[in-house]
Amino acid sequence: MTTRTTTKLGKKAIVIGGSIAGILTAKVLSDFFHEVVMIEKDIALDYPTIRKGVPQGAHGHALLKSGEEILEKLFPGFIEELLAAGSVASDFSQDISWYHHGSWKVSHYSGIRTVQQSRPFLEYHLQRRLKMIQNIQYIDGAKVLQLLTTENHSKVSGVVYQDLEGIVTELEAEVVVDSSGAASLTPQWLSKLGLPSPEKTEVKVDLHYASRIYQSLSPIENKWKGLLVYPNPPKQTFGGGIYRIEDNKWMVTLFGYGMEKPVTTAESFLEHAASLDHLPIYEAIKNGIPASDVSVYQFPKLRRFHYEKHRQLPNGLVVIGDAFCRIDPVFAQGMSLSALEASALQSVLVQCQQNQSLNNISKMAHRGFSKVLMVPWLIALVEDFRFVHTRGKKLFGLSVIQSFIKKVVLACAHDKQVYEQFISVLHLKAHPVTLFSPKVLKAIWLKSSVKEE
Ligand SMILES: Cc1cc2nc3c(=O)[nH]c(=O)nc-3n(C[C@H](O)[C@H](O)[C@H](O)COP(=O)(O)OP(=O)(O)OC[C@H]3O[C@@H](n4cnc5c(N)ncnc54)[C@H](O)[C@@H]3O)c2cc1C
């Protein structure tokens, strides 16, 4: 991944949106362009905070191993910096207690270390590193309004943005990357140019989130640094998690699929925690001291745009992160997907450099992203279709896959090796096909008589 280049591919690239996908993209582009301009509509502050443009920042954000490793490659020494600043290191299979589909995972030391922190803390530290890169210009408090293209729309040529004083500016560039998240305006911008909107696939889940930070927990004895009670569908559709973050605080996130009465108040937050299949989250917070109000978030559907199939996309336009695909947040894949996509973009840029041409950059990038998305999308859909109210196109052979995965989950309750393999798949480090290995099949077969709850 260290691809410092001497001859640059182009003069200028623009990145729309300065969140996780935008930061990682800007870092990647900075090796290939003389100048990278990142335009972010929020004002940048010099401390971690929940921003208007990233309201999900108030909710639990776990960083998967695949994402962590890419952050470290792009910004060497970053994980140690996070830990020195207050992130919490935990052994995933020992320090996190996890109740999943009716069983607790086998607790053991695996050496699979993850780092825990709040989302604003992570983003702030990434931004700090980005600002040290000389050829990246950061324009904050400015909203991109429009795409600029060549006359026949075959190529992107820049953007139009407006700052807080209302001043409108045109900025030229050879490459424009849209990393503006779920609110991406690229489909509308394409329509305004008279081009087709990208095809999209949506899966309706009606997911509700409610989160609260605690200064301290009830005086109970607990050995964990994190605890997750996953719903047990189709009967139980609510879940929750709690994990330690920076400043000795605790992030508590509750969620429910298809909830008729979403959590909105401090009282309903506690009631919801008490309604889970197991009570450790409720026990931990019932006499705890909150450090924030309850924040809520509604996530109606998963959505992926098929830019990889778009035949008239202006070359030089790339759509990444949540703007490309918004996946079920319960599986904690979004930031890591952005990182995997940034890494795929890096490979595409290396290829462009070999060809000395940006001619196919959009096609190659979107094909790369759609490849990266195959496994996370599969994981999310297999799990989301366990809830009866989920609506969308089902995968072929879904019930067979679901039944097999449930058996793997049950084996994770007693077999350390199976659990470690399962973690690798969930952390997007190994392909799900590795779950069909002889050791996993043997563990399933040995315990086939274990009763499911
Ligand atoms: C409730 C919830 C919980 C989640 N939990 C996890 C988790 O545990 N782990 C995980 O990995 N992921 C999680 N995610 C997903 C994660 O938040 C995103 O995938 C990740 O932030 C990458 O998003 P992004 O950078 O593409 O977009 P965003 O983070 O949404 O950022 C978009 C940025 O673009 C800016 N912007 C928007 N429009 C414009 C414009 N026109 N001009 C200029 N700037 C603009 C916004 O201000 C913002 O800064 C969760 C998501 C939700 C909703």
Side-chain angles (χ1 to χ4, degrees):
M1 262 235 217
T2 42
T3 48
R4 281 223 167 264
T5 49
T6 41
T7 343
K8 301 282 184 191
L9 249 177
K11 276 195 211 138
K12 195 182 285 176
I14 293 173
V15 177
I16 309 172
S19 178
I20 304 290
I23 292 171
L24 303 180
T25 302
K27 166 67 180 99
V28 164
L29 291 168
S30 69
D31 283 336
F32 298 88
F33 288 83
H34 285 283
E35 194 187 354
V36 177
V37 183
M38 190 155 93
I39 307 175
E40 165 55 49
K41 68 178 179 177
D42 281 348
I43 298 274
L45 298 170
D46 57 359
Y47 53 87
T49 186
I50 298 159
R51 304 194 276 116
K52 198 167 161 225
V54 185
Q56 73 268 33
H59 302 271
H61 267 67
L63 178 63
L64 302 183
K65 280 308 283 180
S66 50
E68 180 194 314
E69 286 172 10
I70 293 170
L71 299 193
E72 179 63 25
K73 277 186 189 146
L74 288 175
F75 298 102
F78 181 67
I79 300 303
E80 281 313 310
E81 263 175 53
L82 276 185
L83 291 169
S87 291
V88 177
S90 66
D91 186 275
F92 193 82
S93 55
Q94 181 171 267
D95 298 327
I96 314 269
S97 284
W98 183 3
Y99 180 76
H100 190 193
H101 288 328
S103 62
W104 289 95
K105 305 270 188 239
V106 57
S107 175
H108 69 287
Y109 177 79
S110 62
I112 306 173
R113 185 201 68 174
T114 52
V115 287
Q116 303 176 181
Q117 58 281 308
S118 69
R119 159 66 199 254
F121 186 86
L122 178 68
E123 190 186 301
Y124 164 77
H125 283 279
L126 278 173
Q127 223 170 64
R128 205 181 68 80
R129 284 293 293 267
L130 194 77
K131 284 181 178 164
M132 292 175 187
I133 301 171
Q134 299 257 314
N135 64 337
I136 299 180
Q137 191 198 347
Y138 191 89
I139 303 177
D140 62 336
K143 185 175 176 184
V144 174
L145 303 177
Q146 196 188 316
L147 273 182
L148 295 173
T149 59
T150 51
E151 214 171 313
N152 61 2
H153 309 313
S154 64
K155 273 191 199 166
V156 80
S157 62
V159 300
V160 178
Y161 71 87
Q162 183 173 36
D163 68 17
L164 288 178
E165 276 138 36
I167 298 168
V168 174
T169 307
E170 282 191 13
L171 195 63
E172 284 184 11
E174 292 122 304
V175 166
V176 173
V177 182
D178 176 7
S179 54
S180 62
S184 162
L185 293 172
T186 292
Q188 287 92 314
W189 290 334
L190 292 175
S191 299
K192 270 195 192 152
L193 293 168
L195 299 173
S197 285
E199 283 174 37
K200 63 181 170 186
T201 304
E202 293 181 332
V203 175
K204 198 165 172 295
V205 287
D206 280 333
L207 174 63
H208 294 268
Y209 259 65
S211 297
R212 192 166 204 190
I213 294 176
Y214 280 76
Q215 185 60 59
S216 61
L217 301 182
S218 319
I220 51 158
E221 214 178 293
N222 63 301
K223 290 198 185 109
W224 38 260
K225 292 180 186 171
L227 186 139
L228 181 62
V229 178
Y230 186 79
N232 193 9
K235 278 184 292 176
Q236 171 60 293
T237 55
F238 304 161
I242 179 167
Y243 71 103
R244 234 179 88 195
I245 55 171
E246 68 276 4
D247 298 331
N248 282 323
K249 291 187 179 145
W250 294 86
M251 169 63 80
V252 183
T253 288
L254 304 175
F255 56 88
Y257 291 85
M259 287 171 85
E260 275 167 23
K261 272 202 213 157
V263 174
T264 48
T265 61
E267 292 74 37
S268 55
F269 193 78
L270 271 182
E271 276 167 25
H272 181 84
S275 75
L276 299 180
D277 270 357
H278 286 270
L279 291 181
I281 299 180
Y282 172 71
E283 298 292 348
I285 61 174
K286 71 175 179 192
N287 296 316
I289 301 173
S292 77
D293 289 334
V294 174
S295 299
V296 296
Y297 195 99
Q298 294 196 6
F299 185 95
K301 51 196 169 192
L302 288 73
R303 182 191 63 199
R304 64 182 286 187
F305 285 111
H306 296 282
Y307 286 103
E308 72 280 5
K309 292 188 188 163
H310 202 292
R311 292 186 186 278
Q312 294 175 58
L313 201 67
N315 188 49
L317 173 63
V318 175
V319 183
I320 199 166
D322 281 16
F324 184 74
C325 173
R326 224 182 165 209
I327 206 151
D328 184 335
V330 169
F331 306 107
Q333 296 167 329
M335 298 190 296
S336 297
L337 250 176
S338 297
L340 288 159
E341 288 165 7
S343 181
L345 179 63
Q346 190 173 44
S347 306
V348 166
L349 288 164
V350 169
Q351 254 179 287
C352 289
Q353 190 140 55
Q354 282 159 0
N355 303 338
Q356 280 299 297
S357 160
L358 283 166
N359 270 350
N360 264 325
I361 182 170
S362 300
K363 250 190 209 115
M364 291 195 292
H366 296 126
R367 277 188 198 145
F369 300 167
S370 107
K371 218 166 145 191
V372 158
L373 191 56
M374 271 167 69
V375 167
W377 186 256
L378 176 80
I379 293 175
L381 259 52
V382 166
E383 291 308 310
D384 284 345
F385 275 110
R386 292 187 196 273
F387 299 94
V388 287
H389 69 276
T390 300
R391 294 282 173 269
K393 192 167 176 244
K394 291 187 181 172
L395 304 160
F396 178 73
L398 180 69
S399 57
V400 177
I401 306 174
Q402 283 175 331
S403 151
F404 176 74
I405 295 296
K406 191 144 185 178
K407 287 189 168 68
V408 176
V409 167
L410 293 177
C412 292
H414 60 85
D415 190 299
K416 295 173 190 171
Q417 271 190 313
V418 173
Y419 183 25
E420 286 175 26
Q421 193 55 45
F422 187 66
I423 293 174
S424 293
V425 172
L426 285 191
H427 280 252
L428 308 177
K429 294 271 302 153
H431 195 278
V433 82
T434 57
L435 296 175
F436 290 92
S437 71
K439 77 177 174 206
V440 178
L441 296 175
K442 189 173 158 203
I444 290 173
W445 179 73
L446 281 175
K447 278 284 171 179
S448 57
S449 57
V450 169
K451 287 214 166 68
E452 297 179 15
E453 260 186 52

